[in-house]
Amino acid sequence: MIKGITFVHAASTPAVYDTLHRYFSAVGLEPGRAWQTDVSRGAPLLAPVGSFELLDGIAHLPAEVLIEVTAIDDVHLAAKQWLEQSVAAQDLAGRISNIAPTTWKSFAFTIEPVPGVRFAFWQWQDPLRGKPLAIEGDLSAAGMRFGIVVARWNAVITERLLQGALDGILRSGGNRQDIEIVRVPGAWEVASAARALAETKRYDGIITLGCLIRGETAHYEAIYNEVSRGIGQSQQETGVPHGFGVLTCETLEQALNRAGIKAGNKGFEAAVATIEMVDVHRRIDAGAAAGSEPDRRPA
Ligand code: DLZ
């Protein structure tokens, strides 16, 4: 399964690297996790959506890296101001173009933050073209804090769910120090601990993990109903997203299958759903705070 694509640019000198890094941060690309070895370093810069596109039959491209924007006038102004502050006046000529129509029903301008390294920013002419229709969360857990509640009952299963949840968070860019694990006796106690964690407001999302096996659990229905009701209620009343990773199975074999043996790992799935919901909440909140439509993705 393809997860992503990276367009890399090897800076010609350390100074060029630093300049480009400052430039891209200034125009709003989100810094990813930078890395450094004795001989090299890298600084990922993230955009909400990206693609690598093969082209044929195009006579002229403004640049090899095209960055789609909204409010191109503002971006142009910001880029111009950045250049004026960063480059000596006598070296400014030709470093930024005016906004002009392209061959693909758009407007674009180009900028060379470093001489010879050119980028184009562009925007569709038709403001409704590609209008995003749906709010959708990212699966990046970077900077998110999580509380995980895991039941000890049926530990052979729930420990696997926990490993799956940790795997989901860490592989999505989360940090170990941002994860609090709380162990409780059984599924019955999961909702109460989840609520206690959520009420502290120290966590962006809560992940609940447990395992009820019908054949081995007296009052299975009663326990299950209460667990799911309690977790749902905690989520609704605290406003903190709760991932639901409490298995309800007929047999131990079925539970094992859902804990990573055959049918995926429900702990992983609960963690990933929680990450997505934290981001969905953030996007909705950001839209409400700005008094405008939230950031949306093409449906
Ligand atoms: C008592 C009990 C039973 C019979 N079965 C399960 C189960 O399958 N899964 C689970 O997580 N917990 C079980 N428990 C324990 C209760 O959830 C609870 O921890 C105890 O009743 C103590 O309150």
Side-chain angles (χ1 to χ4, degrees):
M1 192 174 72
I2 307 279
K3 195 174 162 206
I5 191 160
T6 304
F7 190 99
V8 292
H9 175 81
S12 52
T13 67
V16 166
Y17 175 98
D18 290 332
T19 306
L20 289 176
H21 193 217
R22 279 198 306 278
Y23 167 71
F24 278 120
S25 304
V27 295
L29 288 173
E30 185 188 333
R33 188 183 292 176
W35 57 269
Q36 177 139 25
T37 69
D38 290 345
V39 291
S40 58
R41 59 185 171 151
L45 291 146
L46 314 175
V49 179
S51 66
F52 174 68
E53 196 165 320
L54 290 177
L55 301 171
D56 189 21
I58 304 276
H60 170 74
L61 264 183
E64 284 199 355
V65 179
L66 307 180
I67 302 171
E68 185 181 354
V69 296
T70 55
I72 194 167
D73 294 322
D74 294 343
V75 179
H76 189 254
L77 189 64
K80 217 169 155 198
Q81 285 171 347
W82 183 88
L83 266 184
E84 284 163 3
Q85 284 162 10
S86 316
V87 176
Q90 68 271 20
D91 298 329
L92 275 176
R95 297 283 287 275
I96 184 165
S97 73
N98 290 328
I99 299 173
T102 68
T103 52
W104 71 92
K105 296 184 181 153
S106 310
F107 298 109
F109 73 89
T110 57
I111 175 166
E112 293 188 15
V114 170
V117 183
R118 180 181 301 166
F119 303 92
F121 288 85
W122 68 280
Q123 178 181 316
W124 289 110
Q125 282 173 13
D126 174 0
L128 293 181
R129 171 80 190 246
K131 180 173 165 43
L133 298 174
I135 299 174
E136 216 175 334
D138 276 340
L139 298 181
S140 165
M144 290 181 184
R145 295 151 306 162
F146 299 95
I148 305 180
V149 184
V150 54
R152 277 194 221 96
W153 196 281
N154 291 324
V156 65
I157 306 292
T158 60
E159 286 305 313
R160 286 167 190 257
L161 296 177
L162 176 61
Q163 289 312 315
L166 293 172
D167 192 32
I169 295 172
L170 298 176
R171 278 167 56 192
S172 305
N175 285 316
R176 281 173 201 281
Q177 63 268 29
D178 293 330
I179 303 171
E180 190 81 73
I181 299 170
V182 177
R183 291 181 200 276
V184 297
W188 180 257
E189 285 79 21
V190 168
S192 141
R195 177 139 194 163
L197 284 175
E199 282 179 345
T200 66
K201 299 287 177 198
R202 286 202 303 264
Y203 305 95
D204 298 297
I206 307 292
I207 298 156
T208 57
L209 305 173
C211 173
L212 286 156
I213 299 178
R214 187 192 291 270
E216 297 165 16
T217 310
H219 314 306
Y220 170 95
E221 305 291 349
I223 294 185
Y224 174 68
N225 287 339
E226 191 55 21
V227 171
S228 52
R229 190 196 58 78
I231 293 171
Q233 197 173 343
S234 175
Q235 169 168 258
Q236 300 302 337
E237 292 179 3
T238 62
V240 178
H242 287 43
F244 192 80
V246 179
L247 293 182
T248 49
C249 303
E250 297 299 319
T251 62
L252 181 63
E253 187 191 1
Q254 201 180 56
L256 278 167
N257 285 341
R258 293 181 192 173
I261 301 287
K262 265 192 203 162
N265 183 312
K266 299 297 169 196
F268 181 93
E269 289 171 23
V272 171
T274 307
I275 294 165
E276 184 171 343
M277 286 310 297
V278 171
D279 197 48
V280 165
H281 276 238
R282 286 181 177 175
R283 284 170 194 271
I284 293 171
D285 291 348
S292 64
E293 288 282 291
D295 176 23
R296 291 163 188 268
R297 299 288 170 80

